[in-house]
Amino acid sequence: MQILKMAAEGGGKEMNEIKTQFTTREGAYKLLAHSEYSRPNRVPFNSQGSNPVKVSFVNVNDQSGNGDRICFNVGRELYFYIYKGVRKAADLSKPIDKRIYKGTQPTCHDFNHLTATAESVSLLVGFSAGQVQLIDPIKKETSKLFNEERLIDKSRVTCVKWVPGSESLFLVAHSSGNMYLYNVEHTCGTTAPHYQLLKQGDNYAVHTCKSKSTRNPLLKWMVGEGALNEFAFSPDGKFLACVSQDGFLRVFNFDAVELHGTMKSYFGGLLCVCWSPDGKYIVAGGEDDLVTVWSFVDCRVIARGHGHKSWVSVVAFDHYTTSVEESDPMEFSGSDEDFQEQVHFGRDRANSTQSHLSKRNSTDSRPVSVTYRFGSVGQDTQLCLWDLTEDILFPHLPLSRTRTHTNVMNATSPPATGSGGSGSGGSGGVGATVITAVNNPSTNGSNNGGPNAPGNPLPMPLPRSNSLPHSAAASTANSKSSVMDNAIASGVSKFATLSLHDRKERHHEKDHKRNHSMGHISSKSSDKLNLLAKTKTDPAKTLGTLLCPRMEDVPLLEPLICKKIAHERLTVLIFLEDCIVTACQEGFICTWARPGKVYLHHHSIT
């Protein structure tokens, strides 16, 4: 927040200069001034002590072809507009619905995409005093109020979401650290609920509601310590990732109510979380100013990204820029149908990813070229974009072979332009992200990407396919590897990307964790982050273990771009097909046209 203060005091023009466009390898993203949504008076909202501005979208598939609707909260107000995006200027004089609340403020909201029509939408709104309201901003009917008397939970609602694939179930998280599962058809009862323990595990417990007739909440989850800041369902709806003020990411099998894996922040609370479109990676951000990439299959941190100068408030994957080039059928676990199903839930915004991820060519055993694009926004008013490429995702090669794609630029077109194909890495600093890998000198970094070079008699498979025999060896050699057992149990053993060498190391780390002796784990005195972490939690339990590797033990990503785009802290980042949407605490919702998506009538508006 120091940065903002300096800017406000006129500390140099550069500090306060806001970017209205930025360029990546795809081209230039441009801020569309006429597509800004806000309160009708367009006055910056004085946001001191108020809840973050949040944005929800829904498409109602109306006949006009303009089916996008936007909902956002600013202070005590909640607005519902037709969202014209990159096509036309926003008309703020005509909200479809506007509500002003007394005594409590909206904190978050979510549309039910399954039931939305041009005549009716179901919008859940969570409030600062703990209530949840179900409203229909088209029919203008206030349908129902949940936790009305605050008998279920008195604390602020931090996150509310419909359960994927359900027309009636929704999940609500509170700053108490509790989550509740509701059914819109059921009432909440007039007395405080009585609970019965259903299941408990490492720092979590799940209770059912004891009552003669079915009532809300159906389940109560107690997760971690301190506030539960955000949760996100996996694309297939089967898993739930939660981030808490205690610094832990916890991933649950939602239906089985079981803990799948955990991760610990470098220090401080975790504030935001999201899934990759294929459900293989989770990104979390928070008070350590980092973005952390966690592998769902391996249950471990695979990279951290450092670009923000303050807390990271939102992380999100870009389904439209994430790409996977054709590969052999082994590359994804399960059948084509399984995979289609996996990606199915993001269908309304992920069509392009779906086609990329499901494209196959069985005769072609080339290594796959992968780029996952994700973004983050923070309290430092900056937007960062990140590319997660195969050199980070699959570094586990047998020692006799070295990686050819270390620097992503080697695998793309000439570096000067940085305009690699859809499956290539980015131009800005991605090449610098891997410190440990080495180029294979025999390919001289040819543009067509070492392994694919026709002169290479032996195609060099990507580490993930390469590691299959090792995985089998590893699981017999090291049957204690519970992560592997889990992987087999969930049918994803094809996917284990750990070589034998890694597994031994990991096994050693596990034993080590059990003994709680931190003897051989040196922490550099220059590493201030380490010192901070030591004061916060018992480092014997986390720092230097699988839960929270040391900084030097995982690749550090550099952002493709890192731009100051607002005067106030950023609270929203949403990737849509033809634009990126951001919002700041002053109540301005900005639309950034993707390259080539600026339409002419934007320029003709005076």
Side-chain angles (χ1 to χ4, degrees):
M1 299 311 285
Q2 206 56 44
I3 303 171
L4 300 181
K5 203 168 162 214
M6 276 171 68
E9 288 162 3
K13 190 170 174 224
E14 282 168 29
M15 289 300 278
N16 219 15
E17 204 175 304
I18 287 180
K19 296 284 182 280
T20 55
Q21 74 170 63
F22 56 85
T23 305
T24 63
R25 65 164 194 275
E26 310 89 71
Y29 289 77
K30 292 177 179 155
L31 178 64
L32 302 180
H34 301 294
S35 295
E36 185 177 82
Y37 285 75
S38 67
R39 299 186 299 164
N41 62 12
R42 293 193 185 273
V43 174
F45 175 68
N46 175 3
S47 61
Q48 292 326 104
S50 108
N51 290 289
V53 171
K54 294 281 172 76
V55 171
S56 296
F57 283 102
V58 68
N59 188 294
V60 299
N61 296 318
D62 70 350
Q63 298 309 304
S64 71
N66 194 2
D68 288 327
R69 303 289 179 267
I70 185 173
C71 166
F72 57 91
N73 59 295
V74 183
R76 298 185 297 125
E77 299 160 25
L78 187 76
Y79 291 93
F80 180 74
Y81 280 99
I82 292 178
Y83 179 69
K84 296 174 182 171
V86 300
R87 293 184 302 279
K88 283 186 179 162
D91 181 0
L92 297 184
S93 64
K94 298 180 188 140
I96 301 175
D97 195 15
K98 173 190 173 181
R99 293 163 192 250
I100 301 175
Y101 294 93
K102 293 189 176 76
T104 184
Q105 289 190 2
T107 57
C108 50
H109 28 84
D110 190 42
F111 287 108
N112 193 319
H113 295 264
L114 276 184
T115 60
T117 66
E119 292 75 46
S120 167
V121 294
S122 294
L123 177 68
L124 289 168
V125 185
F127 290 89
S128 54
Q131 307 91 335
V132 177
Q133 191 181 27
L134 173 67
I135 57 178
D136 186 331
I138 296 179
K139 285 186 173 168
K140 308 275 197 299
E141 293 166 3
T142 299
S143 314
K144 285 176 180 168
L145 196 53
F146 300 92
N147 191 28
E148 181 175 7
E149 305 297 329
R150 303 169 68 220
L151 297 168
I152 295 168
D153 200 304
K154 289 183 166 53
S155 68
R156 181 171 55 92
V157 175
T158 53
C159 189
V160 61
K161 289 207 164 68
W162 292 95
V163 173
S166 175
E167 297 189 1
S168 54
L169 296 177
F170 63 93
L171 192 61
V172 184
H174 288 258
S175 57
S176 60
N178 298 336
M179 272 190 311
Y180 304 90
L181 180 66
Y182 288 84
N183 185 328
V184 288
E185 310 301 334
H186 300 159
T187 60
C188 286
T190 49
T191 55
H194 291 284
Y195 296 105
Q196 191 169 349
L197 184 65
L198 174 69
K199 190 169 283 191
Q200 71 186 104
D202 190 11
N203 237 323
Y204 81 97
V206 184
H207 298 81
T208 53
C209 196
K210 254 170 53 177
S211 64
K212 288 191 174 71
S213 57
T214 313
R215 61 167 278 186
N216 284 318
L218 304 176
L219 291 179
K220 172 185 182 177
W221 295 62
M222 300 167 77
V223 181
E225 290 163 34
L228 202 162
N229 290 320
E230 191 175 37
F231 63 80
F233 283 99
S234 61
D236 64 4
K238 291 176 184 162
F239 289 84
L240 182 73
C242 306
V243 288
S244 301
Q245 200 51 43
D246 62 8
F248 280 89
L249 159 74
R250 294 177 177 87
V251 182
F252 295 97
N253 180 322
F254 186 63
D255 294 330
V257 196
E258 274 164 4
L259 188 62
H260 168 81
T262 55
M263 184 270 288
K264 170 77 175 64
S265 70
Y266 212 73
F267 65 82
L270 285 176
L271 304 174
C272 50
V273 65
C274 66
W275 292 79
S276 64
D278 54 10
K280 281 188 224 158
Y281 301 100
I282 293 174
V283 171
E287 296 176 358
D288 54 11
D289 303 359
L290 301 168
V291 292
T292 302
V293 186
W294 190 80
S295 162
F296 173 79
V297 175
D298 292 342
C299 290
R300 64 190 187 93
V301 175
I302 56 165
R304 291 191 178 102
H306 188 239
H308 287 285
K309 300 180 182 71
S310 186
W311 296 359
V312 179
S313 41
V314 188
V315 284
F317 274 84
D318 181 350
H319 289 52
Y320 300 95
T321 309
T322 290
S323 64
V324 175
E325 282 186 2
E326 290 90 343
S327 63
D328 69 271
M330 275 199 321
E331 296 302 337
F332 290 109
S333 63
S335 64
D336 239 1
E337 288 72 21
D338 291 349
F339 194 70
Q340 285 295 347
E341 217 169 275
Q342 251 176 297
V343 191
H344 182 63
F345 277 101
R347 64 186 177 280
D348 48 356
R349 44 172 207 292
N351 294 335
S352 58
T353 311
Q354 198 165 325
S355 59
H356 275 305
L357 293 177
S358 56
K359 250 189 234 168
R360 293 282 199 304
N361 181 348
S362 53
T363 59
D364 184 355
S365 61
R366 289 187 304 129
V368 69
S369 169
V370 190
T371 306
Y372 292 89
R373 165 71 55 82
F374 67 95
S376 55
V377 294
Q379 301 210 353
D380 57 1
T381 71
Q382 294 196 119
L383 162 70
C384 290
L385 293 180
W386 313 81
D387 267 357
L388 194 55
T389 45
E390 68 263 31
D391 46 1
I392 300 286
L393 300 175
F394 315 118
H396 315 295
L397 271 177
L399 298 176
S400 58
R401 286 187 179 173
T402 44
R403 187 78 184 105
T404 47
H405 277 198
T406 303
N407 184 328
V408 177
M409 292 320 300
N410 291 350
T412 67
S413 36
T417 59
S419 63
S422 67
S424 65
S427 52
V430 186
T433 55
V434 185
I435 305 112
T436 50
V438 220
N439 269 355
N440 182 336
S442 67
T443 63
N444 295 327
S446 56
N447 283 341
N448 56 359
N452 314 341
N456 266 11
L458 268 175
M460 266 178 57
L462 259 194
R464 59 172 163 186
S465 44
N466 216 13
S467 67
L468 291 173
H470 296 275
S471 306
S475 49
T476 49
N478 214 339
S479 56
K480 283 190 189 143
S481 168
S482 62
V483 177
M484 190 61 197
D485 298 347
N486 291 352
I488 291 168
S490 54
V492 287
S493 54
K494 286 182 198 163
F495 234 78
T497 55
L498 294 178
S499 63
L500 186 54
H501 165 74
D502 280 300
R503 259 173 214 293
K504 279 188 179 148
E505 227 172 47
R506 224 157 116 193
H507 185 54
H508 176 69
E509 245 174 358
K510 274 199 175 159
D511 288 347
H512 187 68
K513 203 163 82 180
R514 223 171 289 136
N515 304 336
H516 291 309
S517 81
M518 294 293 279
H520 82 288
I521 295 183
S522 63
S523 92
K524 295 180 182 169
S525 54
S526 63
D527 197 341
K528 287 184 189 143
L529 295 178
N530 273 0
L531 297 174
L532 274 162
K534 280 196 161 61
T535 57
K536 200 71 186 251
T537 50
D538 175 5
K541 292 208 177 80
T542 58
L543 193 63
T545 67
L546 262 178
L547 274 180
C548 180
R550 295 187 302 281
M551 285 307 278
E552 61 268 30
D553 289 346
V554 284
L556 195 60
L557 302 175
E558 305 254 321
L560 295 178
I561 61 119
C562 191
K563 303 286 180 193
K564 177 181 171 65
I565 59 165
H567 288 294
E568 255 291 350
R569 66 184 191 268
L570 292 160
T571 56
V572 169
L573 174 63
I574 297 169
F575 291 96
L576 299 176
E577 190 163 9
D578 42 18
C579 60
I580 298 177
V581 176
T582 60
C584 74
Q585 201 46 32
E586 287 187 319
F588 296 116
I589 290 104
C590 297
T591 296
W592 300 78
R594 289 186 187 268
K597 296 289 186 182
V598 181
Y599 295 117
L600 285 173
H601 37 253
H602 263 286
H603 303 301
S604 58
I605 298 163
T606 49

